[in-house]
Amino acid sequence: GIASGPVLLFSNPRGPSGIAGHPVNVASKISEDAGIAGQIHVAADVAAQIPGLPMTNPFEILLGGVTLHGYTV
C-alpha cells in the first residue's frame, strides 16, 4: 500500500532501525486488508496528487471505526 504523511524514523547503528507513523499504518493496512496479488493500493489523498493515475477501482476499508478510502491500480 502507498500512503503519505509525516513519519518518525528510528536510526540505530547498533541494532534494528525502523519507521513509524500514521501513513505507515495506513499503507500496511490497505495492503494487508485490501491486498490483491499483482495490484497496488493507493490511499485517496496520494492518488489525488498523481496526475493521470487511473482512479477506476475505488476501495473502502473500515479500520478501528475509521474508514480508509483509496484506489487499486
Side-chain angles (χ1 to χ4, degrees):
I2 299 174
S4 68
V7 296
L8 180 59
L9 178 63
F10 300 92
S11 181
N12 182 356
R14 292 191 221 164
S17 297
I19 186 170
H22 182 69
V24 175
N25 298 336
V26 169
S28 175
K29 203 66 179 166
I30 63 177
S31 67
E32 290 176 6
D33 290 5
I36 299 171
Q39 296 184 349
I40 300 170
H41 299 284
V42 181
D45 62 331
V46 175
Q49 298 176 45
I50 304 173
L53 184 71
M55 292 194 241
T56 55
N57 298 315
F59 68 82
E60 186 176 283
I61 300 171
L62 184 61
L63 170 64
V66 176
T67 303
L68 304 175
H69 299 274
Y71 298 91
T72 302
V73 295

